Amino acid sequence: MKILVINGPNLNMLGIREPEIYGSATYDDLLDTVRRGADGLGMEVDFFQSNHEGALVDEIQRAYGVYDGIVINPAAYTHTSVALLDAIKAVGIPAVEVHISDVREREDFRQVSYVRKGCIGTVMGEGFDGYVHALRILKEHMEG
């Protein structure tokens, strides 16, 4: 199984950005955690991160016919991007939305997720381990 892990804006700033919410581990630490988890599940993972909505849409479209699943942390675009939702729906690749923090416990505007409507599941509040949980959801979904 080949999985694309997509991270949205400001996730490249992990370790610097709001450590009281996101911790002190870096983006590279996140990638290492996901790689180890994928290896343990017998999955292959590739990563993409951008601060630009259109680049994220382009990457989702490029995934068509290449990847079996998508793990996506749309970050701030979770709450604003119909374009990301439409891209996920257009390619028809099973996707799981993931958030490092528990957005249910945060600001009111973070309670809306457009992307979730195109995903088979959502994982939040599990830190970096949430990405591995998302990989397990995809594997179970694909194995039926």
Side-chain angles (χ1 to χ4, degrees):
M1 287 178 217
K2 193 168 181 181
I3 307 299
L4 177 61
V5 179
I6 298 175
N7 285 295
N10 299 309
L11 287 165
N12 58 308
M13 299 298 288
L14 287 169
I16 299 168
R17 176 186 178 211
E18 299 179 277
E20 67 280 5
I21 295 173
Y22 299 103
S24 59
T26 67
Y27 185 69
D28 286 337
D29 295 331
L30 170 63
L31 301 186
D32 289 342
T33 297
V34 178
R35 277 189 200 101
R36 283 192 307 275
D39 286 348
L41 292 167
M43 301 170 105
E44 180 183 337
V45 289
D46 290 325
F47 299 95
F48 181 79
Q49 188 278 325
S50 180
N51 296 317
H52 305 281
E53 183 179 23
L56 297 168
V57 169
D58 289 343
E59 194 65 16
I60 292 167
Q61 291 177 358
R62 273 193 287 276
Y64 181 76
V66 176
Y67 293 96
D68 302 304
I70 295 173
V71 171
I72 183 167
N73 183 340
Y77 292 131
T78 303
H79 322 292
T80 63
S81 183
V82 174
L84 289 177
L85 167 63
D86 287 349
I88 289 168
K89 289 167 66 175
V91 297
I93 300 168
V96 177
E97 173 189 22
V98 66
H99 299 282
I100 295 167
S101 68
D102 188 341
V103 295
R104 294 171 296 196
E105 297 174 356
R106 298 190 59 199
E107 301 93 341
D108 287 345
F109 70 87
R110 295 189 196 272
Q111 305 310 306
V112 173
S113 171
Y114 288 101
V115 174
R116 187 168 302 143
K117 293 170 179 53
C119 294
I120 63 167
T122 300
V123 178
M124 63 179 83
E126 296 181 20
F128 292 180
D129 291 336
Y131 286 76
V132 179
H133 184 178
L135 292 174
R136 283 194 305 271
I137 291 170
L138 282 171
K139 185 171 184 166
E140 289 171 10
H141 175 80
M142 288 184 257
E143 290 178 344

